[in-house]
Amino acid sequence: MGIRIVSDKRLRELEAFVESAEHPSHCEGCPGLEGVPLHHPSYELTGRCNLNCIFCYAYSTKKAGKLPKPGYYGEPNPKAITISQYGEPTLVGIEKLERLFSLLRKKFDARIDLQTNGVLLDEVSADIVMVSLSASNRESYLKLTGFDYFDRVLKNLEFASIVRTVFLPGINDREVEEIGRIAERLELELMLQPCSIHPGLEERLKRAGYDFERDTLYDYLDSAEKSNARVPGCLLKIVREILEFEDFEDIAFSRRSFASKPPEIRREWKFCFDL
Ligand code: SF4
């Protein structure tokens, strides 16, 4: 890696940002906040998707033929349920989604968080609606997702509570501030997530111009701070703990190690509703 020259002032600003940054409301109730490496329980509906994002979290899981079967993965008394971790849940139709929310509400006293790409979104009764948007304009959206739905998703943000953006250095880092302005205008939270890199994704991202040299904590925090983004609670917890015994400048430019196997749900399948 070439020598990076950054000012001491900026390092101190980003260190202070780590102290003051908030986590997204979606992280409330997640074991990740306590340092337990588990996401919220989830209800999976489908492995299908109507986009083909170059950074898709499920890319290697799908290639390995290991997409989870539909149903609830979690404990009997969840605080929040994410719908869903894989595939695009709105593909089953808004009517079925609403039926699922109502069945889950009858069974559990839990917050319902919908995670969607927003293309087919309409008004829904989920408690939190997270819409993925990692581009600030039509052209970039098309390059990232393979589809020309930017304007449609922008319009559907009226039904959202959180804009979820994946940080892609070299690809969308110059657009994150503009996405932050879009979220601010609509009074939505912006959640900025580092990209999860699993087998096979590295090559795909490289072809799209991903800058692995800038896949650092410094670059991520720089974008998060400039765009007024919220930082995943589990990440904040880990970085704050490390900073108790390491200097910020010693960890700011370390490269992450990539996952060696496809992401999988670390909770047991319990049941599936007949929707
Ligand atoms: S980002 Fe981390 S803390 Fe937030 S919901 Fe996901 S796993 Fe939990």
Side-chain angles (χ1 to χ4, degrees):
M1 177 174 178
I3 294 173
R4 295 282 298 275
I5 301 181
V6 297
S7 72
D8 195 50
K9 179 171 172 278
R10 189 62 184 148
L11 282 168
R12 299 286 75 85
E13 282 169 358
L14 294 184
E15 191 175 4
F17 176 63
V18 171
E19 284 312 309
S20 63
E22 286 181 80
H23 57 248
S25 47
H26 166 61
C27 297
E28 278 305 314
C30 178
L33 291 184
E34 309 304 327
V36 181
L38 272 181
H39 187 73
H40 292 293
S42 71
Y43 193 100
E44 302 302 317
L45 279 163
T46 175
R48 292 185 299 126
C49 190
N50 47 354
L51 297 182
N52 182 23
C53 300
I54 56 162
F55 52 88
C56 180
Y57 170 80
Y59 178 74
S60 55
T61 314
K62 199 170 183 175
K63 272 189 107 174
K66 291 192 170 163
L67 285 173
K69 63 178 179 180
Y72 175 71
Y73 294 77
E75 295 76 41
N77 48 3
K79 291 183 179 150
I81 302 169
T82 301
I83 299 163
S84 54
Q85 287 195 61
Y86 292 84
E88 173 47 41
T90 59
L91 283 179
V92 303
I94 298 293
E95 217 171 287
K96 275 196 180 173
L97 264 186
E98 284 296 349
R99 183 156 163 69
L100 172 65
F101 299 160
S102 122
L103 289 167
L104 287 172
R105 284 184 172 125
K106 267 186 207 143
K107 194 169 176 68
F108 303 117
D109 179 19
R111 197 183 70 226
I112 306 283
D113 295 0
L114 177 68
Q115 182 159 271
T116 169
N117 60 32
V119 174
L120 299 173
L121 187 62
D122 205 326
E123 189 155 14
V124 287
S125 70
D127 300 294
I128 290 179
V129 178
M130 287 174 287
V131 173
S132 302
L133 181 67
S134 296
S136 67
N137 59 70
R138 251 179 100 184
E139 203 187 338
S140 310
Y141 187 92
L142 182 61
K143 276 193 202 145
L144 283 187
T145 68
F147 290 85
D148 188 9
Y149 290 146
F150 177 76
D151 291 334
R152 197 200 283 206
V153 173
L154 205 60
K155 184 188 161 298
N156 288 345
L157 286 180
E158 69 173 294
F159 307 120
S161 27
I162 298 179
V163 175
R164 191 172 152 267
T165 300
V166 176
F167 176 64
L168 304 163
I171 300 178
N172 75 352
D173 42 348
R174 297 198 175 159
E175 297 180 46
V176 177
E177 280 182 68
E178 178 54 24
I179 300 172
R181 283 190 282 274
I182 293 172
E184 201 176 332
R185 269 200 303 278
L186 296 168
E187 297 182 12
L188 303 174
E189 287 177 25
L190 172 66
M191 172 180 190
L192 187 65
Q193 281 200 294
C195 185
S196 300
I197 303 183
H198 299 94
L201 207 57
E202 195 177 341
E203 277 310 307
R204 205 180 185 202
L205 289 169
K206 204 184 278 174
R207 282 197 298 276
Y210 197 93
D211 185 347
F212 291 91
E213 296 292 313
R214 290 192 177 251
D215 188 6
T216 69
L217 182 64
Y218 176 88
D219 293 281
Y220 165 79
L221 290 172
D222 187 51
S223 267
E225 195 261 356
K226 285 176 179 161
S227 57
N228 282 323
R230 297 193 181 204
V231 176
C234 48
L235 176 62
L236 273 179
K237 164 97 178 152
I238 292 168
V239 176
R240 284 172 181 162
E241 276 179 4
I242 293 175
L243 288 179
E244 282 174 19
F245 52 90
E246 298 252 21
D247 290 332
F248 182 63
E249 42 272 57
D250 291 339
I251 60 163
F253 299 103
S254 331
R255 289 265 308 271
R256 286 186 297 146
S257 47
F258 303 145
S260 57
K261 52 185 184 114
E264 55 188 45
I265 297 182
R266 296 194 204 141
R267 285 188 159 89
E268 261 181 61
W269 181 92
K270 294 288 166 41
F271 63 85
C272 184
F273 292 125
D274 183 9
L275 299 172

